[in-house]
Amino acid sequence: MSLVRLKIKGISYSQTQNGAYALILNEVEGDRKLPIVIGAFEAQSIAIALEKEIKPPRPLTHDLFKNFSDRFEIIVKQVIIHKLVDGVFYSSIICERDGIEEIIDARTSDAIALALRFSAPIFTYKTILDKAGIFLKFSSKDKDKEEENDDSIMVDEILQEGGEPVEIESGATDGYTELTTDELHKELNKAVASEDYEKAAKLRDEISKRN
């Protein structure tokens, strides 16, 4: 079976189901997207790895695993999402130490959080992408904003049984648009210090929009 390389498109959250997030993966050489529902902790860990400027004061679990692996010279070479059963994705982490390769089963969210920290590629099989991959519609008429709007996919649409995923534009901004850039940076530092990484990611998004 042929492998398809994926990249992380973004993370979206549910406005109706507390603690539910969707990790959106995009095929590198194509337009299909693979949405995977994950928990709040995993979403925060992945968001932290994506946001290079957010440094937690203490290592998260996935950071600890990375530090442990570095100390014992274990390398994560790649992650493969190899199975989809009843809506649940199963993944393997391909590791190497002293020239010996090992395959470790992992939850997909954990595997991807580690892949980011090791700069390891993420793959899935073509059969899985054919089964679960989707083409997302754009609600915006402005084509120049399609890429930006694509990041605002809501997990609620993905969780709807029998519902076709529909693009939803960004909603509330938690009042961050009213803050100055300096105030945003101060709030970002406070959020990181208090380990509120979900808030930190949103603040970072607002700062990025202004740069």
Side-chain angles (χ1 to χ4, degrees):
M1 291 185 290
S2 59
L3 287 172
V4 179
R5 185 164 182 175
L6 303 170
K7 62 181 178 181
I8 296 175
K9 184 62 182 174
I11 298 175
S12 185
Y13 63 94
S14 171
Q15 293 182 323
T16 61
Q17 298 191 35
N18 188 33
Y21 290 76
L23 173 65
I24 310 299
L25 302 175
N26 197 106
E27 60 178 329
V28 172
E29 298 182 358
D31 298 321
R32 286 178 298 180
K33 293 167 179 61
L34 192 67
I36 301 174
V37 177
I38 61 177
F41 172 78
E42 292 78 11
Q44 287 186 0
S45 182
I46 291 172
I48 288 295
L50 288 171
E51 298 288 345
K52 303 298 183 182
E53 295 185 26
I54 299 178
K55 302 294 183 183
R58 296 179 298 174
L60 302 178
T61 302
H62 297 111
D63 297 321
L64 178 61
F65 186 94
K66 173 66 164 60
N67 295 339
F68 181 90
S69 300
D70 288 344
R71 182 66 60 89
F72 290 94
E73 300 181 347
I74 300 170
I75 301 171
V76 171
K77 298 178 63 178
Q78 62 182 3
V79 163
I80 300 176
I81 303 171
H82 64 84
K83 186 168 63 173
L84 173 61
V85 178
D86 296 329
V88 178
F89 293 91
Y90 294 79
S91 295
S92 295
I93 302 174
I94 314 302
C95 305
E96 183 179 289
R97 181 173 184 266
D98 294 334
I100 300 175
E101 191 172 276
E102 299 285 350
I103 300 176
I104 300 175
D105 287 333
R107 295 189 306 168
T108 297
S109 54
D110 290 328
I112 291 175
L114 291 174
L116 282 170
R117 287 162 170 80
F118 283 89
S119 298
I122 303 166
F123 296 93
T124 192
Y125 290 110
K126 183 179 181 298
T127 52
I128 292 178
L129 195 57
D130 289 341
K131 181 179 180 181
I134 59 175
F135 290 96
L136 292 165
K137 291 182 177 180
F138 291 104
S139 60
S140 173
K141 296 180 180 179
D142 186 353
K143 292 185 178 181
D144 293 335
K145 295 181 180 180
E146 286 184 354
E147 192 70 19
E148 179 180 347
N149 289 338
D150 194 30
D151 290 334
S152 64
I153 303 160
M154 294 300 172
V155 64
D156 304 290
E157 297 293 335
I158 298 168
L159 295 177
Q160 285 181 351
E161 289 189 4
E164 184 179 0
V166 178
E167 176 62 19
I168 300 176
E169 296 195 23
S170 298
T173 57
D174 299 304
Y176 299 145
T177 54
E178 300 176 0
L179 300 178
T180 66
T181 302
D182 287 340
E183 289 172 335
L184 286 171
H185 280 288
K186 289 179 181 179
E187 289 298 318
L188 175 61
N189 291 334
K190 290 179 183 178
V192 173
S194 62
E195 300 185 16
D196 187 349
Y197 302 123
E198 181 179 349
K199 180 179 179 180
K202 291 180 181 179
L203 286 163
R204 187 63 217 165
D205 287 343
E206 181 61 34
I207 292 172
S208 297
K209 290 179 184 178
R210 303 187 186 187
N211 293 336

